[in-house]
Amino acid sequence: MQTLRIKTPSTDGAGGDAERTGTGPGRDLSPLLAGAATAVAAVGATLALTDAGTPLRGPCTLFFLLAAPAAGIGAALRGLEPFGRALTALAGAVVLNMLVAQAMLAVHRWSVRGGVVAVTVLSLLLLLPLLALRTWRSRKHTQE
């Protein structure tokens, strides 16, 4: 049996952040991209819940249905390599969406709004315990 090794970030600051210390226009775009993705996902959820008749409703809602659960799953997989983490989070998001759709079809309660609400609730249930744990750990460190 093969052992899976998970890399943990270095605490001394000498790890992989050395390449980001340079200056320039593209040195750290991840907060900007995360904000843009959050905005597109929020627009998608809003358009789906309000039943707007815009052509952007489909793509933005699909992005929300993939990004919301992937964010929750990806946050739980902090120790994995970035590519493996993204791939696993995306696969988990697809599985979660399929399970929600299958459950709604099985009980004959299928609706777009219901699906968006169910995926939102499940994504929050994945994300909130991790945020609570991080908050608890940060408070514990400040008390010491």
Side-chain angles (χ1 to χ4, degrees):
M1 190 156 117
Q2 187 176 11
T3 303
L4 177 67
R5 296 177 193 251
I6 298 175
K7 289 186 179 180
T8 57
S10 176
T11 58
D12 61 354
D17 289 338
E19 64 269 4
R20 282 198 237 166
T21 58
T23 59
R27 71 170 185 245
D28 198 10
L29 289 177
S30 58
L32 180 66
L33 293 175
T38 302
V40 170
V43 166
T46 303
L47 290 175
L49 292 175
T50 60
D51 202 23
T54 178
L56 291 176
R57 184 176 108 187
C60 289
T61 303
L62 179 62
F63 181 76
F64 170 77
L65 290 174
L66 289 174
I73 294 169
L77 302 174
R78 287 189 316 160
L80 291 180
E81 294 288 328
F83 181 72
R85 182 178 174 186
L87 189 63
T88 305
L90 186 62
V94 170
V95 168
L96 184 92
N97 285 318
M98 288 181 156
L99 288 173
V100 166
Q102 187 175 15
M104 291 178 75
L105 287 171
V107 296
H108 303 289
R109 297 286 182 209
W110 170 252
S111 70
V112 174
R113 287 182 185 162
V116 169
V117 169
V119 168
T120 302
V121 168
L122 291 173
S123 299
L124 286 174
L125 288 175
L126 285 169
L127 193 59
L128 287 178
L130 296 170
L131 292 176
L133 180 65
R134 286 184 188 171
T135 304
W136 179 75
R137 283 182 181 169
S138 67
R139 285 185 183 169
K140 185 179 175 183
H141 280 194
T142 57
Q143 290 176 356
E144 291 177 355

